[in-house]
Amino acid sequence: MTNSTVKKLFEKMTIEEKIGQLLQLSADFFQGNSAVITGPMSEHHLSLKTLYQAGSVLGVSGAKRVRAIQSDYLAHSRLKIPMLFMADVVHGYQTIFPIPLALTASFDPSVMKNASEVAASEAAAGGVHVTFAPMVDLVRDPRWGRVMESSGEDPFLSSVMAQAAVKGFQGEKPLANEHIAACVKHFAAYGAPEAGREYNTVDLSEWRFREQYLPAYAKAIEAQVLLVMTSFNTLFGVPATANQYLMRDILRKELHFNGVLISDWDAIGELITHGVAGDLKQAASLALKAGVDIDMMSFAYAHYLKKATDVDSNTKKLIDESVMRILELKDVLGLFDDPYRGISEEREAIAIKTHKNLASAQHAAEQAMVLLKNKNHILPLKQQQRLAVVGPAANTGEILGSWSWQGDSSTTESYISALRRHFLNVSYAQGCGFHQINLQEVQTAMKIARNSDVIVAFMGLPQSDSGEATSMTNLCLPKEQLTLLARLSELNKPMVIVVNTGRPLVLTDVDAESDAMLISWFPGSRGAEALANILDGTVEPSGKLPMTFPRKLGQIPVYYNAYSTGRPIQGDSSDNENKYLSKYIDESNEPLYPFGFGLTYADLIVTDLRLNQKTITPNKSIHVMAVVKNRSDRDGLAVVQCYIHQKVGQTVRPIKQLIDFIKVIIPANSTKTVEFNLTSDKLVSVHSDLAKHIDVGEYIVMVGLDSEKVLKDTIFVKQNIGELYNDQIKK
Ligand code: BGC
């Protein structure tokens, strides 16, 4: 459709039809082919006429069902405006990829892009038009269960992954039938709830918000994401869904977002429990004024906007703007040309869970797993070694992770099944459940372990312990699992511990019991085969931590890119002598494993950091070069990371901040020079005037294979390019 045709359609709409476009229904309103009001849905007092005017539905998929519902809907719709089908397609539709935190651990944006592309192509075949992904909320507190859905603690890494995901889901505009619209969420700062407690208050200074939390959303918008979702939380004292400053000034004016803004589930209704609206009518008015276009499941707009338009022309104007945005989205998706976007059961059968898609999911899982420890090169294991496989995560298909509603864990291969294919001598005893233990099971596990060369223990958390509404106060492995590990370690056999988790855990005790420790996350449909390939050495482990793993719970939040403080520790023995330092008296400041850390089987080091020049100008970037040496007989996969630290800033600066990274193969016994192009925009900081600047002065450039062990050099900004940069961004 042309713009003017959309406009003509818009002009024919009645006010009820317009308000209908702003209403999103859940799948419960549809039975068989038609919209219905049954059971709890009748509580919402919507008429059938209103249901047949709703602009979108969430959580319905499947070519046959979507076709039937859309066709029934269109038969009832005066202007034949197709309904949008939205769903949470987060890390795969039916082919499930590793959870987003794990995809990020690949440190390879092409892995994130491909996962999103595959998810989009399968979901599109299943009739989905919009996915509620990617979630790009920056996270620093693993007590919050949704860290699994994020890209971790670093603004740059999150930004790169946000862009990759949006491009993967959406492809180019207008969207081809294999792509779907993405919805970046949750605007804003949902990942920083106080004490890691789900839905809790977020209280950030605007300066910090802009420096660290805003960039990933901004990058997704730059990548032309078509929708944004509001967050449940309060920010700057006002719930996001009613926050005009956040939505109108920052999102719309400053970031130039002109797509559709959707509330989170009942977030408009929750303005009442937040205590900023006295009733649903006021909540509707606040959300509309803040610019929320679609009301997901509070029904505030459906019930109250009509009455408001009788008295208030501004409300009418705001509704019109929202409706136009929604119609434009439908148009970009091609729904006016084909309300079904080419779906059929035949297409679905060939598009979903293809050999190629599953292979991509396996590749992603292989890139995502992180090897944290490998004493005496116990890994890779040899095919003929006798393995005693134990642990609650060994024999289950529940390794898909949360937000995989279309995934099927009953047909997902378990780790033990894959290991039996890869190794000649595997025995198995569960030993304990995730949260249960009994003496007999422990004894059976001890028995097989006694007769083995290596114990491989699959520990961790069940998949139900991560995702939305899974905040936790204890991040150690459950005591039953620690008991089993303690008993097994009495045998003095080499022990490999594989940890299934959707979040950083406090693994200090586990680490002490282990010879090797591998984080497998929730690795998805082909996670078991990926894991077996890593354990037998067919595949080189190459994932890196996208979040710091704490040593003790009390260190939380602990993240690598903390700001400089007064009285910092020095990292040497003087720290013990001086009491008045920024430190704990009962624990070191150091995490157990830092951001960016992950071992490889190949023996890799970074040497010879070189810069082609020391001074950076807007037109002349610095080439940062370093040599990566592979001192082993295996090909290695190196994730080379480039950090900076600004010595003196107008505001305090992070001790280190990631500005670039690259994943490269380093063939056995060879060296490769990697190069980063350090442009002046990488040196931007937010001043206390809340604007972006580049300060004159000295910056330390660091390159390494993790955020701790780095080589350093100094560069300078000599002329005031900061002003210039500001002028550029103002234009
Ligand atoms: C979550 C969103 C999700 C929505 C729809 C909410 O509870 O916070 O991330 O997209 O439900 O399923």
Side-chain angles (χ1 to χ4, degrees), residues 422-546:
H422 286 246
F423 295 92
L424 298 172
N425 199 331
V426 178
S427 47
Y428 165 69
Q430 191 184 3
C432 70
F434 284 109
H435 294 285
Q436 313 80 30
I437 193 161
N438 71 52
L439 195 62
Q440 205 187 336
E441 277 192 39
V442 175
Q443 279 167 351
T444 321
M446 294 289 280
K447 196 167 151 207
I448 64 157
R450 245 180 236 114
N451 295 323
S452 72
D453 301 317
V454 184
I455 302 167
V456 185
F458 287 88
M459 312 311 250
L461 299 180
Q463 59 181 5
S464 53
D465 282 3
S466 64
E468 186 173 352
T470 61
S471 292
M472 286 173 45
T473 60
N474 177 11
L475 297 178
C476 295
L477 281 190
K479 60 181 183 317
E480 294 80 4
Q481 297 183 44
L482 292 174
T483 305
L484 178 67
L485 289 177
R487 290 297 316 276
L488 291 166
S489 73
E490 289 164 14
L491 302 174
N492 285 323
K493 299 268 181 181
M495 181 130 72
V496 176
I497 302 183
V498 178
V499 185
N500 250 275
T501 179
R503 61 173 106 213
L505 294 172
V506 178
L507 295 172
T508 314
D509 297 346
V510 183
D511 190 66
E513 309 278 19
S514 73
D515 293 280
M517 193 158 70
L518 181 77
I519 306 298
S520 62
W521 311 109
F522 289 104
S525 302
R526 279 292 183 89
E529 178 65 8
L531 187 274
N533 274 339
I534 289 180
L535 289 190
D536 77 4
T538 308
V539 166
E540 177 77 0
S542 63
K544 308 287 156 192
L545 294 181

Side-chain angles (χ1 to χ4, degrees), residues 58 88 132 146 149 185-186 190 229 232 264-265 296 403 468:
L58 87 156
D88 293 278
F132 297 130
R146 292 192 86 165
E149 215 183 321
K185 64 191 190 185
H186 306 80
Y190 178 39
M229 187 186 290
F232 285 129
D264 202 343
W265 183 289
M296 186 199 292
W403 295 114
E468 186 173 352

Side-chain angles (χ1 to χ4, degrees), residues 1 32 65 111 124 147 202 230 235 246 277 301 314 340 355 357 398 405 421 470 556 571 599 608 612 659 694 725 727:
M1 252 191 192
R65 183 139 197 253
V111 167
V147 299
V202 171
T230 70
L235 187 64
L246 192 61
Y301 284 0
N314 192 42
Y340 306 100
H355 189 68
N357 293 357
E398 300 213 342
W405 57 292
R421 251 198 330 276
T470 61
I556 288 171
L599 299 171
D608 300 321
N612 70 330
I659 54 162
I694 298 171
Y725 185 79
D727 288 349

Side-chain angles (χ1 to χ4, degrees), residues 297-417:
M297 294 300 289
S298 88
F299 312 107
Y301 284 0
H303 287 304
Y304 296 105
L305 290 190
K306 169 81 177 58
K307 285 178 202 129
T309 55
D310 294 340
V311 288
D312 178 5
S313 62
N314 192 42
T315 303
K316 221 167 169 180
K317 183 175 149 268
L318 295 179
I319 293 172
D320 283 355
E321 285 170 9
S322 292
V323 172
M324 264 317 279
R325 286 194 279 261
I326 295 164
L327 294 183
E328 275 159 14
L329 173 63
K330 293 185 176 185
D331 191 36
V332 170
L333 283 158
L335 286 170
F336 292 116
D337 299 326
D338 174 7
Y340 306 100
R341 298 191 85 224
I343 52 169
S344 65
E345 285 176 84
E346 294 72 40
R347 172 174 156 203
E348 195 174 31
I350 53 171
I352 289 178
K353 272 193 142 177
T354 61
H355 189 68
K356 189 164 166 239
N357 293 357
L358 287 163
S360 294
Q362 184 180 318
H363 173 73
E366 288 168 353
Q367 298 297 306
M369 294 187 185
V370 186
L371 181 63
L372 292 180
K373 184 175 179 187
N374 195 15
K375 207 163 109 193
N376 304 326
H377 302 286
I378 176 180
L379 294 179
L381 299 170
K382 289 168 202 69
Q383 221 192 7
Q384 58 286 357
Q385 276 176 311
R386 292 171 303 158
L387 309 187
V389 175
V390 300
N395 191 19
T396 171
E398 300 213 342
I399 56 171
L400 301 178
S402 170
W403 295 114
S404 51
W405 57 292
Q406 282 284 326
D408 180 5
S409 46
S410 71
T411 55
T412 301
E413 182 171 41
S414 66
Y415 294 124
I416 181 72
S417 152

